[in-house]
Amino acid sequence: MTVNRRFRDRTRIGPVEVATYYDGRGRDMHTAACTAPRCGFSADYHSRAAAELAARTHRCKA
């Protein structure tokens, strides 16, 4: 079963999108996901700064 996440406060840094959402326990979580074809990079973080740092330093291998 898939998780229904409602993303808010979305920004784009290069090909990576950074967004904020609430996890299943009501905590703020932040995600960074690359939108390039066949890249597959995505990660969840507890702080917005960590997600933005990951977005800035991500290099696509695709």
Side-chain angles (χ1 to χ4, degrees):
M1 187 169 177
T2 61
V3 177
N4 185 12
R5 293 188 178 136
R6 295 180 187 214
F7 295 105
R8 57 186 165 83
D9 194 20
R10 291 175 34 182
T11 57
R12 190 171 180 96
I13 300 172
V16 180
E17 283 194 19
V18 177
T20 303
Y21 68 95
Y22 292 115
D23 68 355
R25 297 180 179 203
R27 297 176 296 199
D28 272 344
M29 293 294 289
H30 308 278
T31 187
C34 186
T35 59
R38 295 185 307 274
C39 179
F41 168 76
S42 68
D44 293 330
Y45 299 95
H46 290 287
S47 71
R48 180 78 182 198
E52 289 182 3
L53 178 64
R56 291 183 208 291
T57 59
H58 171 68
R59 299 290 176 252
C60 288
K61 296 178 182 168

